[in-house]
Amino acid sequence: MPKKADSGDTTAGLLAYLFGPGDRDEHTDPHLVAAWDPTLPCPARTPDRMTLSTLAQLLDAPVDALRAPKPAEHVWHTSIRNAPTDRTLTDTEWAKIAAEMMHVAGIAPHGDEQACRWVAVRHAPDHIHLVATLARRDGNGPRIRGDIPRMHTAARAFETALGLSPMSPLDQTAPRAPATGEKEKATRRGLTEPARATLQRAVREAAALATDTADFLTRLRDAGLRVREHHNPTTGTVDGYAVALPGDRADHGTRPVWFSGRTLAYDLSLPRIRERFHPTISPADLTRAHTRIREAAALLARAGRTQGAGDVAALGDLLTVTAAVSPTTVRDQVRAAAARFEQASRAPGTRTLQGTARTHFKAATRALEHAPRTARAGGAPAVLNLLIALIEAVEAATLTRAPARTTTPPRTVRVTPAPARGPATPPPTTAVPPRPPTGPHPAPRPGPAPGPTAGPGPGSGRSR
């Protein structure tokens, strides 16, 4: 699985780290497994023939030869790692992987003698590092836009060819995961999670409840976040935002660490958040929320994949707010469920957020703002009914996201009381009503609606 490429301006410094002991002596037997020149000596195993400084100079030679100004960040760096359960690959296998990755990334196409210079360094059994300098020997720059998605596609082919654990495709809608440095910083500060994770959750909760841009920004500030607005220089309107946690600072404490919405998650940019806004409705309580969720679940079950995108997004907002107002005894579990649903409900950027059930879900979200007051008034049964209704809505959403659609309604959890004693009421049928007769003979009476039973949606693959 290729990791997102970094860029830098010091080739020698990066090589010193890769061939060194590491931050915690985790680097073992660092050595070259491949390079732009197959005969290149390894600085670690043949230091009498090649030193790190010489290797850095060779890599930088095309950059230094440029007649144009030297690129500000000319060093390209990424890592490729296999699963902990996979077998240990040989240096020869890693060398083949490295050369193919350089080819698909556009840095060193096969057979291109003018391509960029690069090396592959291995200092652990399960991964390699790729380092390249972004200047071709003909004086041009490489075309590397979209390098990581292409490398992920190549990685899927290697998983099949080498019998490795299959990974999920690259999810370009996923939230940005905290980097290693962010995790280490959180540990030093005694925090339970990195600042990025805290901000993602807080911004998502504010977006789920906000009715307009001003309300959204106010909710962020009320949540204790630092907020920086970006205004259009022509119209003066707000067209972006950034958030920071109080106390999270960089550059020796001289400035806050800001995260724009787009860097937190694909759907947390201001334009995407504005798609979620819905006018304020009249106050409601949990019982009304329960009713609206059931109505929305029925509508969502009948919606198509495209039409249901807005419904699923609104349901994700509802789950987020439900987690925020849930009793403390189950809040962590509901938050985890909301996070899992958000991952499963992502849709490509070409979809629309309109949907038949969207209004009902947004109405239920507003109602949940009164949940703490309702709970203090003894609303535990209402909370239970709400959670059961959410299960039904999620099941309906699963059917909406499935690749094949059927007319079979979703399986639901029965929560209505048993009917009073008396004649049994026949159950409702899902058959299509008969058309009026068009000839001298009456139309036949319809039987049960045939068709396959809807199965579960596609499983979520592992990613790393």
Side-chain angles (χ1 to χ4, degrees):
M1 176 66 73
K3 183 181 178 182
K4 187 179 186 300
D6 298 323
S7 58
D9 59 1
T10 308
T11 307
L14 178 57
L15 292 178
Y17 169 76
L18 296 178
F19 281 94
D23 295 331
R24 294 176 296 274
D25 294 328
E26 71 275 18
H27 296 177
T28 58
D29 187 23
H31 60 279
L32 285 181
V33 294
W36 81 94
D37 181 355
T39 64
L40 196 70
C42 176
R45 295 185 173 177
T46 55
D48 56 326
R49 299 178 57 197
M50 178 69 66
T51 64
L52 285 181
S53 60
T54 302
L55 179 59
Q57 291 173 2
L58 290 173
L59 284 167
D60 283 339
V63 179
D64 296 333
L66 291 175
R67 295 182 179 180
K70 180 179 177 180
E73 294 185 334
H74 67 280
V75 183
W76 182 95
H77 168 225
T78 191
S79 61
I80 305 175
R81 184 183 306 270
N82 58 358
T85 55
D86 285 339
R87 64 180 177 85
T88 300
L89 301 181
T90 65
D91 281 357
T92 301
E93 289 171 323
W94 276 122
K96 183 178 179 181
I97 293 172
E100 182 64 21
M101 292 299 178
M102 291 291 92
H103 168 72
V104 299
I107 292 176
H110 296 320
D112 187 351
E113 296 181 356
Q114 302 299 318
C116 300
R117 294 184 173 184
W118 61 275
V119 293
V121 181
R122 184 180 190 180
H123 56 209
D126 62 347
H127 72 277
I128 60 172
H129 289 259
L130 298 176
V131 179
T133 48
L134 300 181
R136 293 171 51 87
R137 279 174 275 182
D138 57 11
N140 297 319
R143 297 180 179 181
I144 61 172
R145 184 176 179 84
D147 50 354
I148 292 300
R150 294 195 298 270
M151 293 170 69
H152 274 260
T153 301
R156 304 291 81 78
F158 277 113
E159 289 164 0
T160 301
L162 300 177
L164 306 176
S165 301
M167 309 305 297
S168 62
L170 179 63
D171 185 356
Q172 300 187 61
T173 68
R176 304 292 180 88
T180 302
E182 296 176 41
K183 297 176 182 178
E184 294 175 349
K185 183 179 181 180
T187 300
R188 291 195 304 268
R189 296 181 60 196
L191 303 178
T192 58
E193 62 182 1
R196 184 188 298 269
T198 303
L199 291 171
Q200 285 173 345
R201 183 173 59 253
V203 172
R204 198 172 295 282
E205 290 175 359
L209 288 169
T211 58
D212 54 35
T213 302
D215 184 31
F216 168 65
L217 297 174
T218 298
R219 290 179 182 274
L220 292 179
R221 293 185 174 96
D222 290 344
L225 307 184
R226 300 189 65 171
V227 180
R228 183 175 65 188
E229 302 175 8
H230 184 274
H231 294 262
N232 185 296
T234 303
T235 63
T237 58
V238 178
D239 61 2
Y241 74 98
V243 290
L245 276 183
D248 186 20
R249 307 186 70 82
D251 294 340
H252 305 288
T254 59
R255 63 175 181 86
V257 179
W258 294 101
F259 293 86
S260 67
R262 183 65 179 84
T263 60
L264 290 176
Y266 166 83
D267 61 338
L268 293 183
S269 65
L270 190 57
R272 289 297 184 192
I273 287 176
R274 280 173 170 158
E275 294 179 352
R276 302 168 179 247
F277 294 156
H278 194 276
T280 305
I281 63 170
S282 58
D285 56 17
L286 280 173
T287 302
R288 185 175 180 184
H290 168 253
T291 302
R292 287 188 178 274
I293 293 171
R294 287 188 180 279
E295 293 171 353
L299 289 171
L300 184 56
R302 297 194 294 270
R305 184 179 178 90
T306 302
Q307 292 85 351
D311 302 332
V312 174
L315 175 56
D317 286 346
L318 176 56
L319 285 168
T320 298
V321 177
T322 302
V325 302
S326 294
T328 55
T329 54
V330 297
R331 185 171 302 159
D332 289 342
Q333 291 89 331
V334 179
R335 275 181 171 169
R340 292 296 298 274
F341 183 83
E342 182 272 330
Q343 178 184 6
S345 64
R346 297 179 199 131
T350 55
R351 88 285 181 269
T352 174
L353 283 186
Q354 299 302 316
T356 54
R358 180 172 182 256
T359 301
H360 295 286
F361 284 139
K362 299 302 289 188
T365 301
R366 301 279 169 246
L368 281 181
E369 290 191 88
H370 300 268
R373 182 164 62 247
T374 304
R376 287 195 298 269
V383 173
L384 178 60
N385 282 339
L386 171 65
L387 295 177
I388 294 176
L390 282 173
I391 294 173
E392 297 182 8
V394 171
E395 288 182 346
T398 302
L399 293 178
T400 300
R401 297 284 293 179
R405 299 286 300 151
T406 72
T407 58
T408 306
R411 178 179 59 83
T412 59
V413 181
R414 181 173 181 177
V415 295
T416 54
R421 292 174 176 252
T425 303
T429 179
T430 58
V432 178
R435 296 182 177 179
T438 57
H441 301 288
R445 297 178 62 83
T453 302
S460 59
R462 293 183 300 111
S463 63
R464 61 179 182 272

